[in-house]
Every structure is written in structure tokens, then in C-alpha cells.
Amino acid sequence: MKTRSVAVVPALLSLVAILAACTPAATHPASSTPATAGASATRPGSSTSPSPSPTPTPTPVALPTDCKALLSAPVQAQLGDLPLNSPAYGPSGVQGDGSLICIWADPRSDTTNISTTISRKARGEALDLLNGLVKTQGFSCYTPDKGTRCEKEWPDTQYPVTDGRTLFWRDDVLIDTRYSNLAPTGFTSSIIASIFGS
């Protein structure tokens, strides 16, 4: 009886070893791990090339169409009753290419005004513009609100007031503001929040 038990044990061990060798690779813990995006599903040594993962196309940021809606109530209060988009200053409002021109100025005033143009501008073109302003006109640039902002102020050539220009670029949208004797606190930040939400 003891001799038969000893003979059965080696036979069972051999059967277990054979079954283990036949187990599919998929049941191995390392093989059951899900593939990551873009990873090759082919086995090592296979001649099949992996398919690249598609790159999602970002949805373009919508350009605004309403000048007043761009500004918060505190900024609008600083502009007071200054006329918006008077025909005396040429084209304003939504343009044929989808850009928006907003001009706050009184035709009876010689210099007090602020105008903003919001348009699409590809990254390369925007960087060329901003770098050019830094190199040739002494603008200062920094990177707030997930974008690039460049600005400069200077004395007006005719009147004892300050003129300036502020540009902000993000996600292929350029906000370009020029002003003379009028720089409402939070003006550009209000426009940024209106367009990008943060």
C-alpha cells in the first residue's frame, strides 16, 4: 500500500507540470494587463507595425461677437458713457473674417480712447509678432492665464497723456488693445475671462 502511494505521487507531479506548460499565455498576470493607448498589440519579433493613436483635434475657441459682453460690470463702469463703435472711427463690430473690433471713444475728444481687435492668429505668426515687438519696440512679455501677454506704455507725442498697447495670445486667439489716456483696471483680464472662461 505504501509502495503504491509513492508511485502515484510522481505521476501526479508529472501531470501537473504538463498542464502548466499547456496553460494559455493570456492567463499569465503580465499578459492580462490592458494595453495602454498607442501601445503595440503585436508580439515581439512580429513584422506588423503598430497603428499610431489618433491625435484629437482641439475645438477652436469661439471668437466673441458682442463688445459689451466682453467686459465685466466694474470695467464697464470705468468706461462710463463713452460711445462704443462710433462710425467716425471706421470699421468696428464683427468683421468678414470673424474678427471683432471694439472701439470706445468719443469723436468730440482728441485723444481719450481704447480699441481692441480680437482675431485668429496661428502660433508661429503670433510668436513672430510678439518677438518682433520685444526686439524692435521694447515690449515686455510674460505668461499669465495660460497664454502670452506683451505690453508697453509711452508718452503721447501730441498730448500730455499716456498711450499704450497690450497684446494677449492663447489657443490661436489674439487680443490686441491700443489705448490713449484710458486704461481701465482689469480690461484685458476681463476679456480673457469672457473668451476662455479662466
Side-chain angles (χ1 to χ4, degrees):
M1 190 75 175
K2 289 182 180 179
T3 306
R4 187 175 292 172
S5 297
V6 171
V8 170
V9 172
L12 287 173
L13 291 175
S14 298
L15 181 60
V16 170
I18 291 169
L19 291 175
C22 294
T23 304
T27 61
H28 190 278
S31 300
S32 61
T33 304
T36 56
S40 171
T42 60
R43 293 184 179 183
S46 171
S47 61
T48 306
S49 299
S51 300
S53 296
T55 301
T57 303
T59 304
V61 175
L63 294 179
T65 57
D66 185 339
C67 293
K68 285 187 177 179
L70 289 173
L71 304 179
S72 64
V75 174
Q76 289 188 39
Q78 294 175 67
L79 294 172
D81 58 357
L82 204 60
L84 172 62
N85 294 341
S86 168
Y89 295 101
S92 61
V94 179
Q95 303 300 294
D97 61 357
S99 62
L100 178 67
I101 300 174
C102 304
I103 305 169
W104 286 269
D106 189 334
R108 296 169 298 178
S109 174
D110 291 331
T111 184
T112 303
N113 62 77
I114 186 167
S115 65
T116 296
T117 300
I118 303 168
S119 61
R120 296 215 178 276
K121 188 77 71 174
R123 178 182 178 83
E125 190 178 356
L127 289 178
D128 287 345
L129 169 64
L130 299 179
N131 286 331
L133 291 173
V134 170
K135 292 177 183 177
T136 64
Q137 298 185 37
F139 274 66
S140 297
C141 296
Y142 56 109
T143 54
D145 303 309
K146 302 177 185 177
T148 301
R149 178 170 175 160
C150 298
E151 53 193 25
K152 181 183 176 183
E153 289 189 336
W154 57 89
D156 187 271
T157 55
Q158 283 186 280
Y159 304 97
V161 299
T162 299
D163 294 349
R165 184 179 181 188
T166 298
L167 303 95
F168 179 84
W169 181 88
R170 172 179 163 184
D171 297 338
D172 292 345
V173 174
L174 180 68
I175 302 167
D176 187 351
T177 300
R178 300 168 191 256
Y179 55 92
S180 178
N181 196 36
L182 181 63
T185 302
F187 184 88
T188 300
S189 296
S190 178
I191 295 175
I192 292 169
S194 176
I195 295 174
F196 300 102
S198 62

